[in-house]
């Protein structure tokens, strides 16, 4: 993809690196779900009902990695047909990620140390919000409302990248306190990761809006 600038390659490298641990750990777990020897600590809930977590891992990985490519201005400018094709893939896999996340939240039985009411409510709310944002993004682009389309997809992407920020916060917390958080503190950390992502998304959206507004005035 020679049309992508160096700055955009750097952006992709950063996002891929940021997504590396949750994506790779998830993909490594898939063979275990279908009877292969466990490479990482096993997840009993996933082994009992492997379908939703398998779909979630695949959907989330594609959504986060291919979704990053969709934000490149060069792709939209020089390869609009490719942008539209990838957009359909990203929308579909994003919905798979969100709906399987909802499925697992409701169907799996989690101990209180891994999910309390705060995290349960956040997971249900954000799963539904992610599907709604993707649906609105599709409607908006069909209405030629590009700004609304980009804003909705950026918010959905912020939700979808929650696992990456959660991983980063867990690593920092374990480095500082030499223990893995559990119970309410774990819930707060997990929900806080989504809050950070959404706050950054809103800042980027406001910045883009301010840039368009100043350009229109000039």
């Amino acid at each position: 993809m020679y049309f992508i600038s160096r700055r955009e390659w750097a952006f992709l490298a950063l996002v891929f690196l940021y997504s590396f641990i949750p994506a790779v750990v998830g993909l490594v777990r898939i063979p275990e779900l279908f009877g292969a020897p466990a490479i990482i600590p096993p997840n009993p809930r996933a082994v009992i009902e492997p379908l939703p977590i398998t779909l979630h891992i695949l959907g989330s990985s594609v959504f986060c990695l291919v979704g990053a490519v969709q934000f490149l201005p060069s792709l939209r400018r020089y390869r609009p047909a490719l942008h539209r094709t990838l957009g359909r893939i990203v929308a579909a896999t994003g919905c798979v990620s969100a709906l399987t996340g909802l499925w697992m939240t409701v169907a799996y039985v989690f101990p209180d140390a891994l999910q309390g009411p705060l995290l349960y409510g956040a997971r249900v709310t954000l799963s539904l919000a992610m599907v709604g944002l993707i649906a609105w993004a599709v409607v908006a682009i069909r209405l030629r409302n590009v700004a609304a389309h980009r804003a909705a997809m950026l918010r959905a992407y912020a939700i979808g990248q929650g696992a990456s920020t959660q991983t980063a916060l867990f690593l920092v917390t374990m480095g500082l306190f030499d223990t893995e958080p559990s119970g309410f503190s774990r819930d707060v950390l997990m929900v806080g990761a989504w809050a950070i992502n959404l706050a950054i998304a809103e800042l980027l959206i406001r910045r883009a809006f301010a840039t368009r507004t100043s350009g229109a005035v000039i």
Side-chain angles (χ1 to χ4, degrees):
M1 293 189 288
Y2 64 89
F3 55 89
I4 297 178
S5 68
R6 290 183 179 180
R7 179 178 295 181
E8 290 171 336
W9 277 118
F11 165 77
L12 285 180
L14 181 62
V15 173
F16 287 179
L17 179 63
Y18 194 63
S19 307
F20 180 80
I21 293 179
V24 169
V25 169
L27 293 172
V28 165
R29 188 180 292 282
I30 289 179
E32 167 207 336
L33 303 179
F34 295 93
I39 301 175
I40 56 179
N43 183 335
R45 294 176 300 277
V47 174
I48 294 172
E49 193 171 1
L51 180 59
I53 193 169
T54 300
L55 293 175
H56 185 73
I57 291 169
L58 294 174
S60 299
S61 298
V62 174
F63 180 73
C64 290
L65 298 178
V66 180
V69 178
Q70 287 294 88
F71 292 110
L72 302 181
S74 295
L75 180 71
R76 299 193 299 267
R77 185 179 304 116
Y78 298 114
R79 294 290 187 273
L82 178 59
H83 178 71
R84 287 192 295 270
T85 300
L86 293 179
R88 296 184 182 98
I89 295 172
V90 169
T93 54
C95 288
V96 169
S97 173
L99 292 174
T100 52
L102 178 62
W103 181 359
M104 291 187 293
T105 299
V106 174
Y108 285 0
V109 177
F110 292 89
D112 292 340
L114 296 181
Q115 178 177 271
L118 174 63
L119 183 55
Y120 178 89
R123 281 173 165 166
V124 171
T125 301
L126 292 172
S127 295
L128 295 174
M130 186 171 165
V131 174
L133 286 165
I134 293 172
W136 168 236
V138 173
V139 172
I141 200 61
R142 290 184 177 276
L143 296 174
R144 301 292 187 269
N145 190 340
V146 176
H149 168 76
R150 292 178 182 173
M153 286 306 301
L154 184 55
R155 291 178 177 119
Y157 190 75
I159 296 173
Q161 275 283 14
S164 298
T165 305
Q166 288 161 358
T167 300
L169 292 180
F170 267 70
L171 291 174
V172 171
T173 301
M174 292 173 66
L176 292 175
F177 300 103
D178 199 26
T179 183
E180 183 177 346
S182 63
F184 183 70
S185 61
R186 185 179 190 276
D187 283 13
V188 171
L189 199 67
M190 298 277 282
V191 175
W194 279 307
I196 291 171
N197 285 6
L198 287 169
I200 293 173
E202 292 302 319
L203 288 173
L204 293 174
I205 291 167
R206 290 177 181 274
R207 180 179 177 183
F209 176 78
T211 301
R212 288 193 301 270
T213 303
S214 61
V217 171
I218 293 174

